[in-house]
Amino acid sequence: MQVQKLRFPLIVLMLLFGLLLAACGGDATTESATTETTETTETTETTTDTSTETVDEGGMQAVEVFSWWTGGGEAAGLEAMIVVFQEKYPDIEFINAAVAGGAGTNARAVLATRLQANDPPDSWQGHAGQELIGTYVAADQLEPLNFLYEQEGWLDVMPETLIPLMSQDGNIYSVPVNIHRANVLFANPKVLAEYGVEMPGTLDEWFATMDALQEAGMEAPLALGEQWTALHLFETILLASLGPDGYEALWNGTSDWSSPEVAQALADFAQVLTYVNSDASALSWQDAGQLVVDGDAAFNVMGDWQEGFFRELSLVPNEDYVWAAVPDTAGNFQFLSDSFVLPKGAPHREAAIDWLLVAGSKEGQDAFNPIKGSIPARSDADRSLYGVYLQSAMDDWASNRVVGSLTHGVVANDSWKAEIDTALGLFLGTGDLAAFQTALVAACATSGPCQ
Ligand code: GAL
């Protein structure tokens, strides 16, 4: 009796408290736990209200997919995959939560904030490799996806090299949608012809060519964009200068970052920087590509999403643009892979799995990649759907030595990469090579495998 007597007022009190909270505009922690179908989300109308706003309204489900594909061939590629998704799942509303900014520089910050607030999207784009394992898996934010791999037979069609980069302790944590190549040198063939120069095969040839272009009046023969594109350029020069063994040794702890070989690679990078545009920090990767398209620069080093952008501009391969491996990297495929994950606590878990099924499917990959400017992760794709550049990338992927990208999450965890990026930022300002090398040595000791 006593207990019952007490319990009633307690319930009344709780109800009153709840009403009071609602009247005050609610509280993020209470609303997510209890009231999916009511309208208590009005306080979080920025990026965080989508999960509740779209759940089962009029019987409609939703899936919120997070990426940084908002421009060029990237957005168009994503749209093509969304079309496949909507054909298969017409009752699920697709919420495209892409945040602009190349290489995910902005998106990943927004994602980190959301994850911290326990507000994950249903699925997000992440890079296979240390970015995935060192960040999201380490923080226990993802569900293992082995059940999907088994159900769909994905182990038979996804590259063997990729699976360990997405796995820990036998658990596979993401679904790769593509393979991108980082070490691509794009050029404007009309400009090369006009100046009487050719595509270079070695760093020395490249420097001589760019010297000639500068002497002939082209101020900045190599188009560069904001800082992440400088980091991207840097990783390709490390590969060019050190070779694949030396490059890989940087990341597995068997290399001495203070060696004369690394010093030479940094000097090569410094030399490359003497050919770039002075407004680089204000330009996106597309802007840098545009300088080549417009003939203001001859070259641009970028991942092959740049090729997707060129095709988005209706440019014709081998007429309006040509490509080669970054000088002194032929035979090496510096790769990265975009993959999608299933977070623990995905607001719409079933729909998120449906999205992953499309991302991992032949149909989804063959819709996405020909437009995105990447080759499919799956080995059974329909080659005839891919343009001449991507067919050449498929051949290289199958035959080249494969090494991982730094800028796009394969070889270094996020903290190590951030330290390298900070060192690079300082170097771009000061030009102090010795200090750059010292900072890189320290970064490997602090956040990498160096002792
Ligand atoms: C990379 C990503 C690519 C492309 C690129 C430029 O990190 O893997 O798919 O989006 O950034 O934004």
Side-chain angles (χ1 to χ4, degrees):
M1 285 299 279
Q2 269 253 320
V3 176
Q4 272 187 350
K5 257 186 189 167
L6 272 176
R7 195 179 268 164
F8 179 68
L10 197 65
I11 289 171
V12 173
L13 269 178
M14 281 169 72
L15 279 174
L16 281 175
F17 184 63
L19 282 174
L20 200 68
L21 270 182
C24 296
D27 167 316
T29 51
T30 54
E31 76 193 23
S32 61
T34 54
T35 54
E36 266 209 324
T37 48
T38 64
E39 320 111 53
T40 53
T41 48
E42 58 212 292
T43 50
T44 52
E45 62 194 24
T46 52
T47 53
T48 56
D49 62 346
T50 44
S51 60
T52 41
E53 168 200 307
T54 51
V55 168
D56 295 333
E57 247 177 42
M60 191 84 166
Q61 282 190 63
V63 65
E64 187 193 16
V65 175
F66 189 94
S67 75
W68 54 86
W69 294 331
T70 61
E74 314 209 310
L78 177 59
E79 279 306 322
M81 193 155 57
I82 295 172
V83 168
V84 174
F85 178 81
Q86 296 283 216
E87 275 165 8
K88 285 191 190 306
Y89 306 101
D91 294 335
I92 302 178
E93 182 190 355
F94 189 93
I95 301 165
N96 184 351
V99 173
T105 36
N106 303 330
R108 296 204 56 217
V110 172
L111 179 63
T113 308
R114 287 189 58 172
L115 294 180
Q116 219 157 25
N118 208 10
D119 173 35
D122 294 306
S123 184
W124 68 79
Q125 168 200 359
H127 289 126
Q130 289 303 311
E131 177 182 312
L132 182 80
I133 301 299
T135 302
Y136 309 122
V137 174
D140 199 19
Q141 286 161 330
L142 303 181
E143 276 198 43
L145 298 170
N146 301 45
F147 67 100
L148 278 185
Y149 277 76
E150 277 155 32
Q151 176 189 311
E152 301 298 310
W154 282 342
L155 285 177
D156 298 331
V157 289
M158 298 295 188
E160 262 173 43
T161 39
L162 214 52
I163 302 296
L165 296 170
M166 304 182 306
S167 304
Q168 184 153 289
D169 301 331
N171 290 320
I172 311 176
Y173 285 98
S174 70
V175 179
V177 72
N178 68 2
I179 304 288
H180 265 305
R181 187 176 196 173
N183 59 323
V184 190
L185 178 71
F186 290 99
N188 183 326
K190 292 166 189 157
V191 170
L192 299 186
E194 186 187 328
Y195 285 82
V197 297
E198 296 191 343
M199 279 299 263
T202 65
L203 283 179
D204 285 343
E205 284 171 16
W206 194 24
F207 296 155
T209 303
M210 292 197 285
D211 285 338
L213 288 170
Q214 280 186 329
E215 274 158 31
M218 183 181 286
E219 208 175 301
L222 177 61
L224 186 69
E226 59 191 305
Q227 188 170 320
W228 75 262
T229 73
L231 188 66
H232 184 114
L233 178 63
F234 178 53
E235 72 179 43
T236 68
I237 301 303
L238 285 177
L239 175 62
S241 194
L242 296 168
D245 289 337
Y247 178 78
E248 287 203 316
L250 291 176
W251 312 113
N252 63 24
T254 60
S255 168
D256 178 3
W257 280 81
S258 63
S259 71
E261 289 79 14
V262 173
Q264 180 58 50
L266 302 189
D268 286 339
F269 178 59
Q271 169 87 22
V272 171
L273 290 179
T274 63
Y275 304 106
V276 308
N277 41 303
S278 54
D279 61 349
S281 64
L283 304 187
S284 68
W285 61 269
Q286 293 100 325
D287 294 334
Q290 191 69 48
L291 288 176
V292 175
V293 173
D294 294 343
D296 294 327
F299 300 110
N300 174 238
V301 170
M302 194 29 60
D304 43 13
W305 45 89
Q306 190 68 282
E307 206 263 338
F309 175 56
F310 288 163
R311 274 184 297 105
E312 206 50 22
L313 298 176
S314 301
L315 302 182
V316 180
N318 284 325
E319 275 179 38
D320 298 321
Y321 61 93
V322 288
W323 60 88
V326 165
D328 276 331
T329 72
N332 296 287
F333 195 113
Q334 199 168 21
F335 95 102
L336 57 122
S337 172
D338 294 307
S339 67
F340 283 92
V341 300
L342 179 63
K344 288 187 171 169
H348 313 102
R349 184 175 179 277
E350 289 310 311
I353 290 173
D354 293 339
W355 167 249
L356 295 178
L357 285 172
V358 170
S361 71
K362 180 165 147 55
E363 196 183 348
Q365 298 204 358
D366 275 346
F368 172 71
N369 288 300
I371 301 175
K372 171 71 162 72
S374 40
I375 61 174
R378 292 179 67 113
S379 55
D380 59 352
D382 181 352
R383 187 182 164 96
S384 69
L385 296 172
Y386 293 78
V388 54
Y389 166 75
L390 288 174
Q391 290 195 0
S392 78
M394 284 177 179
D395 293 342
D396 288 349
W397 170 249
S399 60
N400 280 194
R401 163 102 176 246
V402 171
V403 298
S405 162
L406 161 67
T407 313
H408 309 282
V410 183
V411 292
N413 63 44
D414 279 344
S415 14
W416 191 9
K417 178 179 137 185
E419 281 183 60
I420 295 173
D421 194 43
T422 303
L424 170 67
L426 279 173
F427 172 66
L428 292 175
T430 63
D432 185 338
L433 269 176
F436 188 23
Q437 188 163 11
T438 305
L440 293 173
V441 171
C444 185
T446 320
S447 303
C450 302
Q451 309 276 306

